[in-house]
Amino acid sequence: QVQLVESGGGSVQAGGSLRLSCVVVSTFTVNMECMGWFRQAPGKERQGVATILLDDEGTGTDDEHTNYVDSVKGRFTISRDKADNTLYLHMNNLKPEDTAMYYCGATAGRVGRTYCHSAIHQSLPFAYMGQGTQVTITP
């Protein structure tokens, strides 16, 4: 069984920062080549925020391995700590329009860079999704 458990959400004023965490809890070894953060605001469809294609070391934070929706570029950073099997989303200069439920997701097995990066703009299936953590940004 695989579970993704998010935390770190909260309510902050515009201009503030938050760090979201997503811990992978699994009873067996699973290859998650692509992981990502998604968000959904009330009345809106799910949106891809950031994805990361994990390299053989299980990290992959350079530009070739990460992709972001335009609205968060320069403000959000996705990263993964292999040692503690945790995916992070560092969010700076937060804006009211960032208010949403944030979910982390992961693929099962190899999917390739194109699939991983395309998940920003296309509703592509991810095998594992967490329950979400709420982020609220006040003006």
Side-chain angles (χ1 to χ4, degrees):
Q1 183 178 3
V2 177
Q3 283 187 308
L4 305 182
V5 182
E6 302 100 333
S7 63
S11 180
V12 298
Q13 288 189 321
S17 299
L18 284 172
R19 186 186 74 167
L20 305 184
S21 301
C22 172
V23 178
V24 178
V25 181
S26 177
T27 58
F28 57 92
T29 300
V30 57
N31 179 16
M32 298 176 174
E33 186 184 36
C34 177
M35 301 187 74
W37 286 96
F38 305 85
R39 65 187 180 187
Q40 187 166 19
K44 295 187 177 182
E45 293 186 353
R46 191 187 81 179
Q47 177 189 43
V49 176
T51 60
I52 182 168
L53 184 73
L54 302 178
D55 58 20
D56 291 340
E57 297 299 320
T59 52
T61 57
D62 58 30
D63 290 344
E64 290 189 4
H65 290 82
T66 57
N67 197 25
Y68 300 87
V69 68
D70 287 347
S71 62
V72 308
K73 285 181 179 178
R75 301 188 297 123
F76 291 12
T77 301
I78 188 171
S79 65
R80 194 246 187 171
D81 187 323
K82 183 180 180 181
D84 61 13
N85 212 10
T86 302
L87 181 73
Y88 295 99
L89 185 67
H90 301 259
M91 306 186 296
N92 297 317
N93 190 22
L94 284 158
K95 303 176 180 181
E97 51 264 41
D98 294 320
T99 294
M101 183 71 79
Y102 282 70
Y103 303 88
C104 75
T107 61
R110 292 188 175 273
V111 295
R113 177 181 287 110
T114 299
Y115 186 100
C116 191
H117 287 188
S118 296
I120 291 297
H121 300 293
Q122 301 178 36
S123 182
L124 299 177
F126 274 53
Y128 310 107
M129 294 293 290
Q131 294 299 307
T133 183
Q134 178 67 39
V135 171
T136 302
I137 311 303
T138 58

